């Protein structure tokens, strides 16, 4: 590395929960050299479509991927969980193909979806999180269980950690940062 060159970052890719993390906790991103590539409203398919380019454009040394809630919320219509899993697996494979380690963040808790109240997200979140944990173990990716740090006993987002039952507040991000840092240190 040349004098004054910045180290390559870990790139955070995901939806609005990732996007807001950078806004709510900019000191964390600055301190650790993280780059935020979260885009609100995106499903796993949309994230997959931009994944490689985001990693290359940022000069990534690793990737933290967290997505799935917008698929569960049916932002673009119903999506089978198998398709979400395929998208995530393809992104981890893409990262590996680029020689990059990957860390998967669990889907954060939600008992309801404010913008789609017909959806009951809890069961799908539980299924996807079990798959994420198992897939991370099988694929050698890291797994950050944010759900456990944020959920009530019934699987809802603890009110003090959220803004609308889905999105995290500053306190919510502070609650998951020890989980993130422990997983990254374990890499």
């Amino acid at each position: 590395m040349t004098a004054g060159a910045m180290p390559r970052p870990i790139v955070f890719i995901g939806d609005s929960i990732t996007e807001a993390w950078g806004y709510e906790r900019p000191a964390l991103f600055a301190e650790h050299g993280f780059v935020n590539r979260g885009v609100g409203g995106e499903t796993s398919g949309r994230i997959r479509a931009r994944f490689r380019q985001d990693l290359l454009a940022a000069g990534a040394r690793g990737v933290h991927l967290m997505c799935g809630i917008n698929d569960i919320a049916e932002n673009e219509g119903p999506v089978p969980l198998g398709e979400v899993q395929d998208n995530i697996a393809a992104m981890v494979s893409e990262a590996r193909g680029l020689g990059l380690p990957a860390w998967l963040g669990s889907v954060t808790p939600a008992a309801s979806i404010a913008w789609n109240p017909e959806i009951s997200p809890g069961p799908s979140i539980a299924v996807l999180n079990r798959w994420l944990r198992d897939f991370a173990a099988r694929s050698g990716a890291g797994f950050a269980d944010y759900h456990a740090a944020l959920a009530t006993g019934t699987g809802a987002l603890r009110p003090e950690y959220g803004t609308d039952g889905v999105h995290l507040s500053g306190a919510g991000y502070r609650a998951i940062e020890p989980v993130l840092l422990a997983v990254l240190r374990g890499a």
Side-chain angles (χ1 to χ4, degrees), residues 124-168:
S124 294
I125 290 172
V127 168
L128 187 53
N129 281 341
R130 277 192 301 275
W131 180 85
L132 285 164
R133 180 185 303 278
D134 292 346
F135 175 73
R138 287 192 317 272
S139 69
F143 178 72
D145 187 359
Y146 303 132
H147 191 277
L150 298 168
T152 66
T154 61
L157 178 61
R158 290 173 49 185
E160 66 270 25
Y161 290 154
T163 61
D164 62 0
V166 174
H167 295 93
L168 304 184

Side-chain angles (χ1 to χ4, degrees), residues 70-150:
N70 290 327
D71 297 279
I72 292 168
E74 299 183 359
N75 280 16
E76 297 179 354
V79 178
L81 283 182
E83 186 175 320
V84 179
Q85 294 164 354
D86 289 347
N87 286 330
I88 292 168
M91 288 185 273
V92 170
S93 179
E94 182 78 37
R96 294 299 160 100
L98 293 170
L100 303 175
W103 296 273
L104 300 174
S106 69
V107 178
T108 55
S112 62
I113 304 289
W115 62 94
N116 193 351
E118 300 82 38
I119 301 295
S120 178
S124 294
I125 290 172
V127 168
L128 187 53
N129 281 341
R130 277 192 301 275
W131 180 85
L132 285 164
R133 180 185 303 278
D134 292 346
F135 175 73
R138 287 192 317 272
S139 69
F143 178 72
D145 187 359
Y146 303 132
H147 191 277
L150 298 168

Side-chain angles (χ1 to χ4, degrees), residues 10-24 29 34-43 46-48 50-51 53-55 58 63-70 91 167 173:
I10 295 175
V11 178
F12 281 57
I13 297 181
D15 51 35
S16 60
I17 295 171
T18 297
E19 180 181 31
W21 200 344
Y23 297 133
E24 287 287 337
F29 280 72
F34 300 152
V35 169
N36 192 310
R37 293 290 187 264
V39 177
E42 286 198 335
T43 60
R46 289 202 182 270
I47 294 166
R48 180 180 177 184
R50 66 179 169 85
F51 186 78
Q53 183 56 40
D54 279 357
L55 294 176
V63 60
H64 175 279
L65 175 64
M66 185 168 54
C67 62
I69 192 63
N70 290 327
M91 288 185 273
H167 295 93
Y173 289 111

